[in-house]
């Protein structure tokens, strides 16, 4: 079983940057991703990356601003978030799966506890 622990969240002003980290332990899954959920809204897939090969996938809302990466040796996943907007405010969750790799949440069976990101102006 994999354990996922997110960190790096916080408060930042519009246009600022944050880098989220997800430390994984246990089995190395074939796909890892980031999801977010704001109060009153449904969960949204943000980005995903294949453990082998490094293919990446992004939601339209963050493409060009966010970059997902990973360090396989350290079993750590990252999300570099630039040009942050108020609508990026949400709880961000790290997830892992061993199926089709995409930003579609149904393929992820393991989830972290989340880290809060708040973007204000």
């Amino acid at each position: 079983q994999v354990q996922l622990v997110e960190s790096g969240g916080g408060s930042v002003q519009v246009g600022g940057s944050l880098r989220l980290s997800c430390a994984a332990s246990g089995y190395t899954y074939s796909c890892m991703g980031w999801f977010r959920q704001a109060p009153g809204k449904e969960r949204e897939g943000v980005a995903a990356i294949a453990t082998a090969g490094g293919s990446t996938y992004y939601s339209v809302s963050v493409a060009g601003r966010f970059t997902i990466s990973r360090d396989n040796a350290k079993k750590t996943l990252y999300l570099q978030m630039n040009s942050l907007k108020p609508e990026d405010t949400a709880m961000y969750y790290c997830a892992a799966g061993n199926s089709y790799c995409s930003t579609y949440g149904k393929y992820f069976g393991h989830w972290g506890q989340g880290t809060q990101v708040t973007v204000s102006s």
Side-chain angles (χ1 to χ4, degrees), residues 2-17:
V2 65
Q3 292 179 299
L4 306 172
V5 181
E6 303 96 332
S7 63
S11 298
V12 65
Q13 293 189 339
V14 171
S17 298

PDB file of all heavy atoms in Angstrom, residues 2-17:
ATOM      1  N   VAL A   2       0.480   2.269  -0.704  1.00  0.00           N
ATOM      2  CA  VAL A   2       1.235   3.501  -0.801  1.00  0.00           C
ATOM      3  C   VAL A   2       0.684   4.526   0.188  1.00  0.00           C
ATOM      4  O   VAL A   2      -0.525   4.593   0.437  1.00  0.00           O
ATOM      5  CB  VAL A   2       1.195   4.061  -2.237  1.00  0.00           C
ATOM      6  CG1 VAL A   2      -0.221   4.459  -2.633  1.00  0.00           C
ATOM      7  CG2 VAL A   2       2.138   5.250  -2.375  1.00  0.00           C
ATOM      8  N   GLN A   3       1.593   5.310   0.765  1.00  0.00           N
ATOM      9  CA  GLN A   3       1.216   6.415   1.630  1.00  0.00           C
ATOM     10  C   GLN A   3       1.656   7.708   0.958  1.00  0.00           C
ATOM     11  O   GLN A   3       2.775   7.802   0.457  1.00  0.00           O
ATOM     12  CB  GLN A   3       1.873   6.291   3.000  1.00  0.00           C
ATOM     13  CG  GLN A   3       1.364   5.122   3.819  1.00  0.00           C
ATOM     14  CD  GLN A   3       2.047   5.016   5.154  1.00  0.00           C
ATOM     15  OE1 GLN A   3       3.270   4.844   5.221  1.00  0.00           O
ATOM     16  NE2 GLN A   3       1.280   5.122   6.224  1.00  0.00           N
ATOM     17  N   LEU A   4       0.787   8.690   0.952  1.00  0.00           N
ATOM     18  CA  LEU A   4       1.048   9.954   0.282  1.00  0.00           C
ATOM     19  C   LEU A   4       0.874  11.102   1.261  1.00  0.00           C
ATOM     20  O   LEU A   4      -0.165  11.214   1.911  1.00  0.00           O
ATOM     21  CB  LEU A   4       0.085  10.135  -0.893  1.00  0.00           C
ATOM     22  CG  LEU A   4       0.047   8.991  -1.915  1.00  0.00           C
ATOM     23  CD1 LEU A   4      -1.084   9.209  -2.907  1.00  0.00           C
ATOM     24  CD2 LEU A   4       1.381   8.888  -2.643  1.00  0.00           C
ATOM     25  N   VAL A   5       1.889  11.961   1.358  1.00  0.00           N
ATOM     26  CA  VAL A   5       1.852  13.091   2.268  1.00  0.00           C
ATOM     27  C   VAL A   5       2.202  14.357   1.515  1.00  0.00           C
ATOM     28  O   VAL A   5       3.333  14.518   1.049  1.00  0.00           O
ATOM     29  CB  VAL A   5       2.823  12.901   3.447  1.00  0.00           C
ATOM     30  CG1 VAL A   5       2.738  14.091   4.392  1.00  0.00           C
ATOM     31  CG2 VAL A   5       2.507  11.614   4.194  1.00  0.00           C
ATOM     32  N   GLU A   6       1.238  15.266   1.413  1.00  0.00           N
ATOM     33  CA  GLU A   6       1.440  16.523   0.701  1.00  0.00           C
ATOM     34  C   GLU A   6       2.006  17.595   1.621  1.00  0.00           C
ATOM     35  O   GLU A   6       1.769  17.586   2.830  1.00  0.00           O
ATOM     36  CB  GLU A   6       0.119  17.036   0.111  1.00  0.00           C
ATOM     37  CG  GLU A   6      -0.579  16.063  -0.822  1.00  0.00           C
ATOM     38  CD  GLU A   6      -1.645  15.246  -0.129  1.00  0.00           C
ATOM     39  OE1 GLU A   6      -1.530  15.005   1.093  1.00  0.00           O
ATOM     40  OE2 GLU A   6      -2.610  14.842  -0.807  1.00  0.00           O
ATOM     41  N   SER A   7       2.718  18.541   1.014  1.00  0.00           N
ATOM     42  CA  SER A   7       3.234  19.691   1.742  1.00  0.00           C
ATOM     43  C   SER A   7       3.467  20.827   0.751  1.00  0.00           C
ATOM     44  O   SER A   7       3.437  20.623  -0.460  1.00  0.00           O
ATOM     45  CB  SER A   7       4.532  19.351   2.483  1.00  0.00           C
ATOM     46  OG  SER A   7       5.560  18.996   1.573  1.00  0.00           O
ATOM     47  N   GLY A   8       3.708  22.019   1.268  1.00  0.00           N
ATOM     48  CA  GLY A   8       4.030  23.155   0.427  1.00  0.00           C
ATOM     49  C   GLY A   8       2.901  24.140   0.201  1.00  0.00           C
ATOM     50  O   GLY A   8       3.109  25.183  -0.428  1.00  0.00           O
ATOM     51  N   GLY A   9       1.727  23.825   0.689  1.00  0.00           N
ATOM     52  CA  GLY A   9       0.613  24.740   0.525  1.00  0.00           C
ATOM     53  C   GLY A   9       0.776  25.975   1.388  1.00  0.00           C
ATOM     54  O   GLY A   9       1.646  26.042   2.255  1.00  0.00           O
ATOM     55  N   GLY A  10      -0.063  26.952   1.135  1.00  0.00           N
ATOM     56  CA  GLY A  10      -0.010  28.187   1.892  1.00  0.00           C
ATOM     57  C   GLY A  10      -0.811  29.266   1.218  1.00  0.00           C
ATOM     58  O   GLY A  10      -1.613  28.998   0.329  1.00  0.00           O
ATOM     59  N   SER A  11      -0.592  30.490   1.657  1.00  0.00           N
ATOM     60  CA  SER A  11      -1.283  31.647   1.097  1.00  0.00           C
ATOM     61  C   SER A  11      -0.330  32.464   0.245  1.00  0.00           C
ATOM     62  O   SER A  11       0.821  32.689   0.621  1.00  0.00           O
ATOM     63  CB  SER A  11      -1.850  32.520   2.216  1.00  0.00           C
ATOM     64  OG  SER A  11      -2.809  31.816   2.979  1.00  0.00           O
ATOM     65  N   VAL A  12      -0.821  32.895  -0.896  1.00  0.00           N
ATOM     66  CA  VAL A  12      -0.009  33.673  -1.820  1.00  0.00           C
ATOM     67  C   VAL A  12      -0.904  34.669  -2.544  1.00  0.00           C
ATOM     68  O   VAL A  12      -2.112  34.436  -2.690  1.00  0.00           O
ATOM     69  CB  VAL A  12       0.709  32.747  -2.828  1.00  0.00           C
ATOM     70  CG1 VAL A  12      -0.299  32.039  -3.724  1.00  0.00           C
ATOM     71  CG2 VAL A  12       1.733  33.506  -3.650  1.00  0.00           C
ATOM     72  N   GLN A  13      -0.333  35.770  -2.977  1.00  0.00           N
ATOM     73  CA  GLN A  13      -1.100  36.761  -3.723  1.00  0.00           C
ATOM     74  C   GLN A  13      -1.217  36.379  -5.193  1.00  0.00           C
ATOM     75  O   GLN A  13      -0.447  35.571  -5.713  1.00  0.00           O
ATOM     76  CB  GLN A  13      -0.459  38.140  -3.589  1.00  0.00           C
ATOM     77  CG  GLN A  13      -0.525  38.709  -2.186  1.00  0.00           C
ATOM     78  CD  GLN A  13      -0.085  40.159  -2.131  1.00  0.00           C
ATOM     79  OE1 GLN A  13       0.610  40.647  -3.014  1.00  0.00           O
ATOM     80  NE2 GLN A  13      -0.500  40.858  -1.083  1.00  0.00           N
ATOM     81  N   VAL A  14      -2.198  36.967  -5.841  1.00  0.00           N
ATOM     82  CA  VAL A  14      -2.400  36.738  -7.266  1.00  0.00           C
ATOM     83  C   VAL A  14      -1.097  36.976  -8.032  1.00  0.00           C
ATOM     84  O   VAL A  14      -0.410  37.968  -7.802  1.00  0.00           O
ATOM     85  CB  VAL A  14      -3.506  37.655  -7.815  1.00  0.00           C
ATOM     86  CG1 VAL A  14      -3.567  37.589  -9.330  1.00  0.00           C
ATOM     87  CG2 VAL A  14      -4.847  37.280  -7.208  1.00  0.00           C
ATOM     88  N   GLY A  15      -0.768  36.046  -8.917  1.00  0.00           N
ATOM     89  CA  GLY A  15       0.449  36.156  -9.699  1.00  0.00           C
ATOM     90  C   GLY A  15       1.650  35.500  -9.064  1.00  0.00           C
ATOM     91  O   GLY A  15       2.699  35.375  -9.712  1.00  0.00           O
ATOM     92  N   GLY A  16       1.509  35.066  -7.836  1.00  0.00           N
ATOM     93  CA  GLY A  16       2.605  34.435  -7.128  1.00  0.00           C
ATOM     94  C   GLY A  16       2.783  32.977  -7.499  1.00  0.00           C
ATOM     95  O   GLY A  16       2.083  32.441  -8.357  1.00  0.00           O
ATOM     96  N   SER A  17       3.721  32.339  -6.813  1.00  0.00           N
ATOM     97  CA  SER A  17       4.053  30.948  -7.096  1.00  0.00           C
ATOM     98  C   SER A  17       4.147  30.125  -5.824  1.00  0.00           C
ATOM     99  O   SER A  17       4.454  30.637  -4.746  1.00  0.00           O
ATOM    100  CB  SER A  17       5.396  30.857  -7.832  1.00  0.00           C
ATOM    101  OG  SER A  17       5.363  31.523  -9.078  1.00  0.00           O
TER     102      SER A  17
END
